[in-house]
Amino acid sequence: ETGVTQTPRHLVMGMTNKKSLKCEQHLGHNAMYWYKQSAKKPLELMFVYNFKEQTENNSVPSRFSPECPNSSHLFLHLHTLQPEDSALYLCASSLDPGTNTGELFFGEGSRLTVL
Amino acid sequence: DAKTTQPPSMDCAEGRAANLPCNHSTISGNEYVYWYRQIHSQGPQYIIHGLKNNETNEMASLIITEDRKSSTLILPHATLRDTAVYYCIVRNLRETSGSRLTFGEGTQLTVNP
């Protein structure tokens, strides 16, 4: 138990569906992240949020839309995905940049399959 | 952030020490060395980090060479549950854009009974 909870753990969707991934952290952190891990590839950073503001978008296609309503919750809205978007999506959190030790706390991930 | 090089895979006998090397020859003075591990189909887990002194915690020890161009993560008594991909990451802690970490390929450690 890392204090970062992701739901759902598994998701299967068609290319025309709209779905969302949810992440919640109970650690009092102010920064939250989405990472993508495709089969046999390194983790790729997608988005970074600090104090609810997006501070980084690593050229992620617009079919992935993040939302951070508060420092404890992070969503990834999915729309018209492609089969190559099938991957493990990992959420992480950390203390804010001014006080952090660089330690990220990851959730268990949401395994997405796009048919 | 400086690039790191790790062997793609290693084996270790259960109960023996696992020594995982990492090369980071272009590391700069402000950059820390971090180690994470990822057990199959789970999220990565922080292990330890250091700047230039050796560090030890309940999980592992981190040995950084004097010139800081390489480091070794030591799991003193490896168990089957230590089978995972181990990532060595170099990062400047003074970045203001959050704790972004760039993960490489890592080392697949397999602990054998």
Side-chain angles (χ1 to χ4, degrees):
Chain A
E1 178 60 49
T2 63
V4 180
T5 304
Q6 290 188 241
T7 53
R9 292 292 310 278
H10 300 272
L11 178 63
V12 180
M13 60 186 290
M15 289 190 285
T16 58
N17 292 157
K18 289 185 180 180
K19 297 286 184 183
S20 296
L21 306 180
K22 178 183 177 182
C23 177
E24 184 174 1
Q25 57 95 0
H26 308 278
L27 301 168
H29 291 165
N30 292 306
M32 297 189 77
Y33 313 76
W34 280 115
Y35 279 84
K36 174 185 177 182
Q37 188 171 34
S38 303
K40 301 188 178 183
K41 285 187 176 181
L43 280 81
E44 304 170 56
L45 179 64
M46 300 175 72
F47 301 103
V48 181
Y49 278 81
N50 282 320
F51 295 96
K52 304 187 297 178
E53 299 297 319
Q54 188 182 111
T55 57
E56 192 157 347
N57 175 338
N58 274 347
S59 303
V60 180
S62 60
R63 57 186 184 270
F64 295 93
S65 174
E67 178 189 2
C68 189
N70 55 61
S71 294
S72 299
H73 293 85
L74 184 65
F75 295 89
L76 188 62
H77 303 299
L78 315 170
H79 176 50
T80 59
L81 295 191
Q82 305 298 313
E84 58 265 29
D85 296 322
S86 298
L88 181 67
Y89 289 85
L90 289 156
C91 173
S93 71
S94 72
L95 290 170
D96 65 84
T99 58
N100 81 83
T101 60
E103 182 177 351
L104 288 183
F105 292 78
F106 283 85
E108 296 290 324
S110 293
R111 174 74 60 186
L112 173 67
T113 302
V114 182
L115 301 176
Chain B
D1 295 331
K3 181 179 169 57
T4 62
T5 304
Q6 298 177 254
S9 63
M10 292 183 64
D11 284 277
C12 176
E14 188 178 17
R16 305 297 293 267
N19 298 291
L20 294 100
C22 180
N23 183 289
H24 32 78
S25 57
T26 61
I27 193 170
S28 66
N30 294 330
E31 291 180 316
Y32 286 68
V33 180
Y34 287 81
W35 284 85
Y36 279 73
R37 74 178 182 183
Q38 186 175 22
I39 296 170
H40 182 64
S41 293
Q42 295 183 20
Q45 176 191 22
Y46 166 84
I47 302 173
I48 199 167
H49 76 280
L51 183 61
K52 55 184 178 181
N53 298 321
N54 297 338
E55 303 287 345
T56 296
N57 63 21
E58 65 278 4
M59 290 183 69
S61 294
L62 173 61
I63 308 298
I64 303 174
T65 58
E66 194 169 340
D67 62 7
R68 303 208 322 121
K69 292 178 185 281
S70 66
S71 60
T72 301
L73 180 74
I74 301 172
L75 308 178
H77 306 286
T79 70
L80 299 180
R81 287 176 294 181
D82 292 321
T83 293
V85 178
Y86 286 77
Y87 298 99
C88 171
I89 303 164
V90 169
R91 183 183 170 273
N92 188 335
L93 198 61
R94 296 177 186 176
E95 286 180 357
T96 57
S97 60
S99 299
R100 67 186 313 283
L101 295 176
T102 302
F103 289 79
E105 303 282 349
T107 296
Q108 171 66 58
L109 174 70
T110 301
V111 181
N112 300 305

